[in-house]
Amino acid sequence: MVPVLVEKKLLGPDGLGGAELPSEEEQEQEQEQNLWSSILREVSTRSRSKLPSGKNVLVFGDDGSGKTTLMTKIQGAEHGKKGRGLEYLYLNIHDEDRDDHTRCNVWILDGDLYHKGLLKFAVSAESLQDTIAVFVADMSRPWTVMESLQKWASVLQEHIDKMKIPPEEIRDMERKFMREFQEYVEPEEGYQGSPQRRGPSSGQEDEHISLPLGENVLTHNLGIPVLVVCTKCDAVSVLEKEHDYREEHFDFIQSHIRKFCLRYGAALIYTSVKEEKNLDLLYKYIVHKTYGFQFTTPALVVEKDAVFIPAGWDNENKIAILHENFMTVKPEDAYEDFIVKPPVRKLVHDKELAAEDEQIFLMKQQSFLAKQPATPTRASESPARGPAGSPRTQGRAGPANVPSALPITSVKKPDPNIKNNAASEGVLASFFNSLLSKKTGSPGSPGAGGVQSTAKKSGQKPALTNVQEELDRMTRKPHSMHFIWKDGLWLSPLL
């Protein structure tokens, strides 16, 4: 220690002493400066690691596919009314590690292609790289799945092409997305990660080995993450009962959807809002792809109604495992040839019938009845019919054979307007006319002979009712009877 002190003294400018050691105050000041520096560095680090805002989720799907219900359920709100055009929702994102909050924008495009021009209000050229696309397909109508996916993928590709994005920026986005797809590593079994944001670890990038892409992989690189969501997967049992779907059908559908996902580098997840299946998994995966949160769920391909395949996990060899169950179909067969749309059942109650106004209906009926000819009553019918509806024989003479001197000749044709009474009077008149013509005709007279000869020629036997038989018995009595017409009735005086 002494030589050091001497040396310091010799180095002093005035020769009286050397440089002194820093005092306690100077040390405290230096510590305070270091403390403030560390605080500023920590604040700067936190500001850079803060959850970014302005992230977007674009949702596409046909009408009735359940896209609005799905996103509302993920949001945690009650199901609201379905909008038109372009709907807006948001997802609450919470970083538990840093106690940070933000909102993720959700844009739901209408199922009608007429509204596809509204995409310019949801995503611009500047916000495209902060966007994830979600294609929703309805599994309760599997015959529409592939057509729907291809249609909405074309709509998104067309919208991206219309954006005036520099080609270099597009290529950078495509390379970045392809690298993430190739560097996918399946989480270790049993590993439980925290929901905090994933930060880069030292040496992690060096361990990744980029595998070459297959022949039909990422042939349609949009430069942004894509997620295919199949909704209403609880309808699998309905398809089995009503449309006779078998395991082969569901494997065929899954293989075609997974091939589509390979072409776009998309993930696949089967969901059911009714059974609340895979909804939490869908939320975590969206947060993982947009904000980089840790995601520890591996691929799930065992259950046919709860499939989950993250982007980068699948390949042609894994899809070929499904082909082993094909018995009546080939893997290369067209989707619409095997998954056929069932015939539409026409229901009678689909068409609503409007009741006609009562007064208009009555007026039409009145005009219709006025055009119809008047229907004759039984009194004006052909005299060939006897009383009580019994047919008369051709041998019976009608009222024309009755002599004019008899009172019955004064009987007139009943008025057609009189219904019940007039009809009964006409029947009685016809009956007594035939009865009296038979009585007055003698065996030698021409009228009687004509009647008998006619009856013999016809070979018919008169069919008489009980009343007629009783009256015929009365006419065969030795005494003659005369009938008087009075007050609408035929009266027979007692002999």
Side-chain angles (χ1 to χ4, degrees):
M1 295 296 294
V2 176
V4 174
L5 294 175
V6 173
E7 184 178 359
K8 287 185 177 181
K9 289 181 179 181
L10 294 175
L11 294 176
D14 52 359
L16 298 177
E20 298 179 357
L21 291 173
S23 62
E24 294 181 358
E25 295 180 358
E26 292 178 353
Q27 291 179 358
E28 291 179 358
Q29 292 179 359
E30 185 177 358
Q31 289 179 357
E32 290 179 358
Q33 292 179 356
N34 294 336
L35 178 62
W36 281 109
S37 299
S38 62
I39 292 175
L40 291 175
R41 285 195 300 269
E42 184 178 356
V43 171
S44 178
T45 304
R46 288 186 176 182
S47 63
R48 288 195 301 267
S49 63
K50 188 177 181 180
L51 288 174
S53 59
K55 298 287 186 176
N56 300 296
V57 178
L58 274 181
V59 184
F60 302 87
D62 294 339
D63 287 334
S65 60
K67 52 186 182 295
T68 303
T69 305
L70 176 67
M71 301 311 297
T72 304
K73 191 72 174 179
I74 293 177
Q75 186 187 28
E78 295 295 333
H79 177 61
K81 296 182 179 180
K82 182 182 182 301
R84 298 290 296 175
L86 186 66
E87 299 179 70
Y88 173 78
L89 299 174
Y90 64 87
L91 300 179
N92 288 315
I93 310 300
H94 176 58
D95 187 354
E96 296 180 358
D97 183 58
R98 294 179 173 84
D99 195 18
D100 194 6
H101 298 267
T102 189
R103 286 183 176 181
C104 180
N105 305 315
V106 179
W107 304 92
I108 305 175
L109 184 64
D110 193 278
D112 191 352
L113 290 177
Y114 175 79
H115 302 284
K116 64 180 182 179
L118 299 175
L119 284 175
K120 62 183 179 181
F121 299 104
V123 178
S124 61
E126 294 76 15
S127 62
L128 179 63
Q129 57 185 356
D130 296 327
T131 302
I132 178 175
V134 178
F135 298 141
V136 178
D138 186 0
M139 277 298 291
S140 65
R141 298 176 295 171
W143 46 88
T144 64
V145 168
M146 295 308 302
E147 181 182 359
S148 175
L149 293 177
Q150 294 170 2
K151 175 178 66 176
W152 294 114
S154 301
V155 169
L156 179 58
Q157 182 68 67
E158 180 183 356
H159 177 67
I160 294 176
D161 294 340
K162 288 182 180 180
M163 296 180 181
K164 297 180 180 180
I165 303 177
E168 296 181 357
E169 185 176 349
I170 289 290
R171 286 193 293 269
D172 291 342
M173 293 173 59
E174 292 177 353
R175 284 194 293 266
K176 178 183 177 182
F177 180 70
M178 183 177 63
R179 183 172 62 254
E180 293 177 356
F181 185 87
Q182 291 176 311
E183 294 177 352
Y184 170 80
V185 177
E186 190 168 2
E188 297 180 1
E189 186 176 359
Y191 174 76
Q192 299 293 334
S194 62
Q196 65 185 14
R197 285 195 308 115
R198 182 180 60 185
S201 58
S202 59
Q204 185 178 4
E205 296 181 356
D206 298 336
E207 297 178 358
H208 289 170
I209 301 176
S210 299
L211 299 177
L213 298 176
E215 181 180 358
N216 298 319
V217 180
L218 274 181
T219 56
H220 299 73
N221 191 347
L222 299 177
I224 59 175
V226 179
L227 176 60
V228 175
V229 179
C230 294
T231 57
K232 304 180 184 179
C233 292
D234 53 276
V236 169
S237 58
V238 178
L239 294 174
E240 292 176 342
K241 295 178 181 179
E242 296 185 359
H243 302 287
D244 196 22
Y245 273 43
R246 302 181 302 275
E247 200 76 25
E248 183 180 16
H249 291 80
F250 299 110
D251 290 342
F252 186 80
I253 295 171
Q254 185 185 146
S255 65
H256 276 263
I257 297 177
R258 288 169 65 175
K259 289 179 181 178
F260 173 86
C261 293
L262 279 182
R263 292 194 295 270
Y264 286 88
L268 173 63
I269 182 170
Y270 283 20
T271 63
S272 172
V273 175
K274 182 178 180 180
E275 299 179 354
E276 296 186 357
K277 186 174 295 184
N278 283 350
L279 298 183
D280 186 59
L281 182 63
L282 174 62
Y283 171 79
K284 290 181 179 179
Y285 191 78
I286 291 177
V287 172
H288 163 68
K289 299 301 292 185
T290 51
Y291 295 96
F293 278 59
Q294 288 184 353
F295 187 77
T296 59
T297 304
L300 307 173
V301 293
V302 177
E303 299 182 12
K304 58 185 176 182
D305 58 346
V307 177
F308 169 66
I309 299 176
W313 178 86
D314 211 358
N315 54 46
E316 292 284 350
N317 295 330
K318 295 178 180 178
I319 296 177
I321 299 176
L322 298 173
H323 302 164
E324 299 176 358
N325 298 328
F326 292 174
M327 302 296 293
T328 61
V329 67
K330 298 179 180 179
E332 61 273 8
D333 288 348
Y335 184 84
E336 59 276 6
D337 292 342
F338 189 62
I339 308 299
V340 183
K341 181 180 179 180
V344 180
R345 300 177 182 176
K346 296 183 179 179
L347 302 178
V348 178
H349 62 270
D350 285 346
K351 184 178 180 181
E352 183 178 357
L353 299 178
E356 190 177 15
D357 186 70
E358 181 180 359
Q359 297 300 323
I360 297 176
F361 172 76
L362 294 177
M363 291 176 63
K364 288 182 179 180
Q365 296 301 320
Q366 183 181 11
S367 61
F368 175 75
L369 293 175
K371 296 178 182 179
Q372 296 294 325
T375 56
T377 60
R378 295 187 63 181
S380 60
E381 290 179 355
S382 175
R385 295 185 60 85
S390 60
R392 296 185 51 171
T393 58
Q394 297 179 1
R396 293 295 182 94
N401 297 329
V402 181
S404 61
L406 294 176
I408 59 174
T409 57
S410 62
V411 179
K412 298 181 181 180
K413 182 179 180 180
D415 190 357
N417 297 326
I418 302 175
K419 297 182 179 180
N420 296 331
N421 295 333
S424 60
E425 292 176 2
V427 172
L428 290 173
S430 301
F431 168 70
F432 285 109
N433 286 336
S434 61
L435 183 60
L436 292 177
S437 62
K438 177 180 179 182
K439 174 180 175 56
T440 55
S442 60
S445 62
V451 173
Q452 293 176 1
S453 61
T454 306
K456 290 179 180 181
K457 290 180 181 180
S458 61
Q460 297 178 355
K461 183 179 180 179
L464 300 177
T465 61
N466 295 334
V467 179
Q468 289 176 309
E469 293 177 356
E470 183 65 19
L471 292 175
D472 287 343
R473 185 181 64 80
M474 294 171 64
T475 56
R476 287 196 294 271
K477 290 183 178 181
H479 304 283
S480 61
M481 298 180 66
H482 297 277
F483 297 90
I484 302 173
W485 177 266
K486 183 180 181 180
D487 296 332
L489 296 175
W490 288 101
L491 301 178
S492 174
L494 298 175
L495 297 178

